[in-house]
Amino acid sequence: MLRIRDPKESLAYYQENYGMRLLDKIDFPDAKFSLYFLATMKDSEPSPEPGTLAAHKYLWSFEGTTLELTHNWGTEDDPSPCYHPGNDPGDGFGHIAFACDDVYKTCHELEVENSVSFKKRPDEGRMKGLAFAYDPDKYWVEIVKNLEPLETNGYKALTLAQTMLRVKDAKKSLDFYTKFMGMTLVREKHFDDFSLYFLAMVGEGETDKDPGKPVLELTHNHGTENDEGFWYKNGNDDGENKKGFGHIGFLVDDVYEKCKELEEAGYKMQKAPDGGRMKYFLSL
């Protein structure tokens, strides 16, 4: 989940530049905010009209991954930046990413034809062949080459590929996501001072992830696990003007049972299923 200043600008950015589809919009008038859920979908796949009861039902049974955008009403009238995009020292959130078949061609089209601004172009910096664009709130959007061809296999030219989070202790984080959230470690890369771990939802009996579905990328900067006083900022702190990224989410069959399982394993709840105004989901 990413908080956004202006839904009109953000929806146009992700739909027009990355081919995403708005699956649903949910308004909360009492709390004065709205949620928008976008996904990468094949053109042949139908979906209900956003904002309808049918769309609500479709969303909570959707087998893919959505990008959730949160708009707190009124922020669109504030000309100054409202949210922190991450990537300052100590920030946990890094970026989202889209995969494509040709990074150079895609970035040229985004910049020259669609006027998208870039943090890093494919030939800049030490890591060649990948890029980082800015979205309207200055969140980083990575453009990467998919390991397998997308378009010739029926996928969108730009496909939602990953969310990157920095973690303090790689072993503890991998245990959490693999043992309790049903993810599979599908790839890992190790460098002198950091490591990258890529996790995905892999179907029972399958050995690899669907190339059209995203991964969760965990970045571990070596040594942080030994610093007892260090914790990454999670994007939900009002006090330091660090609000921006909010959370990732998982669909489960029974929220209460999952909450019980996690608590028994020693995990603390930020919000229990019946806590607060929004019932039936939990936050860790």
Side-chain angles (χ1 to χ4, degrees):
M1 184 275 274
L2 302 177
R3 298 177 179 90
I4 58 171
R5 185 184 70 87
D6 188 330
K8 184 178 180 181
E9 289 185 3
S10 294
L11 290 174
Y13 176 83
Y14 285 106
Q15 290 176 296
E16 295 173 10
N17 294 314
Y18 302 98
M20 301 194 83
R21 187 187 304 178
L22 179 64
L23 295 188
D24 200 9
K25 175 193 177 188
I26 306 175
D27 296 319
F28 297 87
D30 292 343
K32 297 183 179 179
F33 74 94
S34 297
L35 303 179
Y36 299 84
F37 297 87
L38 300 105
T40 299
M41 298 181 66
K42 296 178 181 179
D43 292 334
S44 59
E45 293 181 85
S47 59
E49 180 69 22
T52 63
L53 180 59
H56 300 341
K57 292 180 178 179
Y58 180 79
L59 174 67
W60 300 118
S61 61
F62 182 61
E63 294 185 356
T65 300
T66 65
L67 173 62
E68 177 185 355
L69 303 178
T70 295
H71 171 232
N72 292 295
W73 296 357
T75 55
E76 68 275 17
D77 299 322
D78 185 350
S80 61
C82 294
Y83 297 114
H84 177 62
N87 295 302
D88 278 353
D91 286 338
F93 174 68
H95 58 261
I96 61 172
F98 288 84
C100 63
D101 289 332
D102 188 326
V103 172
Y104 293 88
K105 177 186 175 186
T106 298
C107 290
H108 177 82
E109 293 173 349
L110 287 172
E111 184 170 25
V112 176
E113 299 178 16
N114 296 18
S115 300
V116 171
S117 60
F118 278 78
K119 166 72 176 176
K120 175 197 173 301
R121 296 174 182 83
D123 276 338
E124 296 175 342
R126 292 180 300 173
M127 302 179 71
K128 309 299 184 184
L130 59 85
F132 286 94
Y134 286 122
D135 92 339
D137 291 279
K138 299 300 181 183
Y139 293 113
W140 294 13
V141 180
E142 187 179 18
I143 312 297
V144 297
K145 180 178 175 60
N146 205 61
L147 295 177
E148 301 176 30
L150 288 169
E151 291 190 85
T152 56
N153 286 319
Y155 296 99
K156 299 283 286 188
L158 275 159
T159 299
L160 185 63
Q162 64 183 230
T163 296
M164 189 278 268
L165 301 177
R166 298 176 183 91
V167 297
K168 174 180 176 176
D169 188 314
K171 184 179 184 304
K172 289 182 179 179
S173 293
L174 290 171
D175 282 349
F176 173 76
Y177 287 109
T178 57
K179 293 180 180 179
F180 296 100
M181 307 313 282
M183 303 195 82
T184 297
L185 179 64
V186 294
R187 191 156 53 99
E188 55 189 281
K189 294 182 178 181
H190 300 282
F191 304 91
D192 290 341
D193 54 355
F194 72 97
S195 296
L196 304 177
Y197 301 90
F198 300 87
L199 299 107
M201 304 303 293
V202 177
E204 187 174 349
E206 297 177 358
T207 58
D208 203 358
K209 81 172 193 76
D210 183 331
K213 292 184 178 180
V215 298
L216 174 62
E217 176 186 0
L218 302 181
T219 296
H220 173 230
N221 291 301
H222 301 163
T224 53
E225 70 277 15
N226 299 320
D227 187 345
E228 293 184 4
F230 176 79
W231 298 98
Y232 282 110
K233 298 178 178 67
N234 62 22
N236 293 294
D237 189 350
D238 271 327
E240 298 183 10
N241 295 319
K242 292 289 188 179
K243 268 195 171 181
F245 168 80
H247 57 259
I248 60 173
F250 291 83
L251 289 178
V252 299
D253 291 330
D254 190 317
V255 174
Y256 295 92
E257 284 299 317
K258 177 57 69 174
C259 183
K260 180 181 177 183
E261 177 191 4
L262 290 168
E263 287 184 319
E264 289 177 348
Y267 294 99
K268 295 181 180 180
M269 300 295 121
Q270 173 69 24
K271 176 200 171 300
D274 285 332
R277 290 176 297 185
M278 300 178 71
K279 311 298 184 183
Y280 315 121
F281 74 89
L282 62 92
S283 295
L284 289 165

